[in-house]
């Protein structure tokens, strides 16, 4: 277990934010919260091609972001009109994050937005012309459509891709299905393997809950077998965990640590379950989250042009008993 935590070498796959921190350590020391990269999230559509059983976006629709809305949002970014949420001085690197629903339902729109952003950055000789990355999280089912392939080829050197695969075929297809009941594993796997075959790095995300705790290690080993070098996993924070679950979780952690060590993988595979800060309680006054907390490292825009401090505050992500937290419009 500790051998997996105390690795001296960097994992082969490195997050853009981590790369920036490694290459520009002086920025980390001068920025409150330690992040020198901001994330701008475009919800290009709230429509989705799948009907996953656990999806947190419970109020999905069929809306699509007009290009003029995205264009105005980008203009305002470059004109520094979102002070308090984005700042070139404090966050000189940027990630353009595209989500849905399923973002690759709108590949031409995503390409338009990226074209406009880079044209604007080059015209203004802005640092974002070079200090930027495009991130897309997709279910993979539209991957081989011509317009998606065109976008992937055009921006391949600026792309960070995540194809959502929940584990092996049985586990994935038990919850990630089309509205008519068809499974999606084979399509998602083909997309992930195609990106890897092109030389791209790809990550994963496993959500661990008491009811699927027993599948944790089989899912991790499945990703390793597929050639993944980064495996992100996290536990749900809602109620339902018992003391026995905690004991089982520790047992499974030890088993997967032994597996990595016995197969000489502890320095080749990044598994987020072994990051050193995991499991340590946060002080009550620490409001920072992965996406920045209080909006200081993330700004999200929905298809209507409304702005949110995080995609989790969008109407598509909330039940009817909670009002979305809106901070303005474009």
């Amino acid at each position: 277990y500790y051998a997996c935590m105390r690795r001296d070498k960097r994992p082969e796959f490195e997050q853009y934010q981590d790369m920036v921190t490694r290459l520009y350590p002086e920025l980390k020391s001068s920025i409150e919260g330690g992040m020198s990269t901001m994330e701008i999230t475009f919800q290009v559509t709230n429509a989705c091609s799948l009907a996953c059983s656990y999806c947190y976006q419970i109020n999905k629709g069929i809306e699509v972001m007009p290009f003029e809305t995205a264009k105005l949002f980008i203009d305002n970014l470059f004109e520094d009109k979102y002070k308090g949420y984005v700042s070139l001085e404090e966050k000189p690197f940027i990630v353009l994050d595209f989500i849905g629903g399923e973002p690759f339902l709108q590949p031409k729109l995503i390409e338009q937005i990226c074209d406009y952003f880079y044209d604007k950055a080059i015209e203004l000789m802005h640092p974002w012309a070079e200090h930027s990355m495009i991130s897309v999280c997709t279910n993979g089912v539209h991957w081989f459509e011509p317009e998606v392939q065109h976008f992937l080829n055009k921006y391949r050197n600026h792309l960070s891709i995540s194809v959502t695969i929940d584990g092996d075929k049985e586990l994935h297809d038990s919850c990630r299905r089309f509205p008519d009941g068809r499974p999606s594993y084979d399509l998602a796997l083909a997309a992930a393997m195609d990106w890897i075959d092109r030389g791209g790095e790809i990550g994963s995300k496993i959500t661990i809950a008491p009811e699927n705790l027993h599948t944790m290690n089989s899912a991790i080993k499945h990703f390793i077998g597929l050639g993944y070098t980064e495996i992100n996993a996290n536990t749900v924070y809602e109620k339902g965990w018992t003391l026995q679950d905690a004991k089982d979780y520790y047992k499974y952690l030890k088993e997967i640590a032994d597996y990595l060590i016995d197969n000489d993988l502890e320095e080749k595979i990044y598994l987020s379950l072994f990051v050193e800060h995991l499991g340590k309680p946060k002080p009550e006054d620490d409001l920072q989250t992965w996406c920045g907390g209080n909006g200081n490292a993330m700004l999200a825009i929905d298809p209507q042009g409304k702005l949110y401090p995080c995609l989790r505050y969008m109407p598509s992500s909330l039940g009817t008993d909670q009002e979305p937290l809106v901070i303005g419009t474009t």
Side-chain angles (χ1 to χ4, degrees):
Y1 175 81
Y2 287 105
C4 290
M5 292 178 64
R6 296 176 179 175
R7 295 171 300 174
D8 296 323
K9 298 180 181 179
R10 288 188 299 110
E12 294 180 12
F13 184 91
E14 188 175 26
Q15 292 283 355
Y16 182 66
Q17 294 90 331
D18 295 331
M19 182 190 73
V20 168
T21 300
R22 176 173 58 84
L23 295 177
Y24 301 91
E26 70 279 4
L27 290 175
K28 182 178 180 181
S29 61
S30 64
I31 296 171
E32 184 179 355
M35 292 181 65
S36 54
T37 306
M38 71 183 85
E39 185 173 342
I40 305 300
T41 299
F42 295 84
Q43 188 187 38
V44 289
T45 180
N46 55 21
C48 189
S49 40
L50 296 182
C52 304
S53 60
Y54 57 68
C55 183
Y56 67 84
Q57 291 191 328
I58 59 176
N59 295 320
K60 292 191 291 287
I62 57 173
E63 295 175 305
V64 175
M65 179 183 292
F67 173 65
E68 289 303 315
T69 296
K71 182 173 176 289
L72 178 57
F73 180 56
I74 291 170
D75 288 341
N76 289 343
L77 282 176
F78 282 106
E79 293 170 15
D80 200 19
K81 290 188 176 180
Y82 301 125
K83 292 184 183 293
Y85 287 90
V86 292
S87 168
L88 179 59
E89 274 185 32
E90 294 183 353
K91 315 284 184 182
F93 294 80
I94 190 169
V95 175
L96 306 181
D97 186 25
F98 293 94
I99 65 165
E102 167 50 41
F104 277 149
L105 284 171
Q106 298 297 326
K108 290 187 70 174
L109 174 59
I110 295 174
E111 182 181 350
Q112 267 189 297
I113 293 171
C114 292
D115 288 349
Y116 185 78
F117 175 87
Y118 282 107
D119 286 347
K120 187 91 173 179
I122 293 169
E123 177 188 343
L124 297 173
M125 300 181 67
H126 196 285
W128 287 342
E130 294 182 336
H131 297 168
S132 57
M133 179 65 70
I134 302 164
S135 174
V136 183
C137 181
T138 174
N139 59 31
V141 303
H142 303 282
W143 185 266
F144 292 101
E145 294 175 4
E147 290 179 350
V148 174
Q149 287 292 304
H150 174 76
F151 170 76
L152 294 172
N153 290 327
K154 182 174 182 176
Y155 279 104
R156 62 171 297 160
N157 294 325
H158 287 270
L159 272 176
S160 172
I161 294 288
S162 177
V163 179
T164 304
I165 300 178
D166 282 354
D168 60 20
K169 181 178 176 66
E170 181 180 4
L171 178 61
H172 179 97
D173 285 341
S174 68
C175 52
R176 296 188 63 81
R177 306 179 75 87
F178 286 89
D180 63 5
R182 286 179 294 127
S184 66
Y185 175 84
D186 291 339
L187 293 170
L189 179 63
M193 293 299 98
D194 178 65
W195 190 245
I196 291 174
D197 289 344
R198 297 182 193 206
E201 298 282 1
I202 199 161
S204 67
K205 183 179 179 182
I206 303 169
T207 301
I208 301 168
E211 57 268 25
N212 70 356
L213 187 59
H214 64 286
T215 69
M216 181 179 85
N217 288 352
S218 62
I220 292 169
K221 291 177 183 178
H222 181 69
F223 283 118
I224 293 172
L226 293 176
Y228 281 60
T229 56
E230 179 186 86
I231 302 171
N232 290 296
N234 62 280
T235 59
V236 298
Y237 297 101
E238 289 77 15
K239 295 179 180 179
W241 291 89
T242 66
L243 180 58
Q244 185 58 49
D245 291 330
K247 292 178 180 179
D248 291 341
Y249 180 52
Y250 178 81
K251 180 185 71 171
Y252 295 137
L253 279 177
K254 187 176 183 303
E255 287 176 359
I256 200 64
D258 289 341
Y259 173 82
L260 294 175
I261 294 168
D262 292 344
N263 291 277
D264 193 29
L265 294 173
E266 72 270 20
E267 292 182 352
K268 300 174 183 176
I269 303 294
Y270 171 81
L271 177 58
S272 64
L273 295 176
F274 293 122
V275 295
E276 293 192 41
H277 64 266
L278 191 68
K280 295 182 179 179
K282 292 179 66 174
E284 290 185 3
D285 59 352
D286 181 1
L287 301 179
Q288 296 295 318
T289 65
W290 185 88
C291 60
N294 297 329
N296 72 352
M298 182 178 185
L299 189 64
I301 179 171
D302 75 358
Q304 296 180 354
K306 294 180 181 178
L307 306 179
Y308 302 84
C310 176
L311 59 94
R312 290 279 187 169
Y313 289 105
M314 290 180 169
S316 59
S317 303
L318 299 172
T320 55
D321 60 339
Q322 186 174 355
E323 287 292 322
L325 177 58
V326 182
I327 62 174
T329 64
T330 51

